[in-house]
Amino acid sequence: MPKMKSHTGMGKRVKVTGSGKIVGEQAGKRHLLEGKSSRRTRRLTGTVEMSAVDTKRIKKMLGR
């Protein structure tokens, strides 16, 4: 049985903290920004912890 390969693209999009949490950028700040308020785009800045539903899937993709 060959070794499992970690999903390279997912590894570039998220970061695993020392305690095992998965953090990444929030969605919605790439395009169509003219229609979004400054307050909204400002609050989308920075990294956030991924939801529990996504965390399970992401960890599987990263081979953790």
Side-chain angles (χ1 to χ4, degrees):
M1 187 81 184
K3 290 182 180 178
M4 289 291 290
K5 287 191 176 181
S6 58
H7 195 285
T8 315
M10 185 55 72
K12 293 173 184 177
R13 285 167 172 80
V14 297
K15 176 177 173 271
V16 183
T17 63
S19 59
K21 293 177 185 173
I22 297 195
V23 293
E25 295 287 329
Q26 288 198 70
K29 200 167 186 286
R30 288 290 179 209
H31 62 131
L32 302 174
L33 297 175
E34 286 177 333
K36 296 167 188 171
S37 67
S38 300
R39 175 180 171 169
R40 183 169 163 192
T41 55
R42 198 166 55 244
R43 285 168 192 268
L44 288 171
T45 304
T47 57
V48 290
E49 188 181 342
M50 296 289 149
S51 67
V53 178
D54 291 332
T55 302
K56 187 178 178 183
R57 177 175 56 86
I58 292 169
K59 282 190 173 179
K60 191 175 179 184
M61 291 174 93
L62 295 176
R64 290 178 163 263

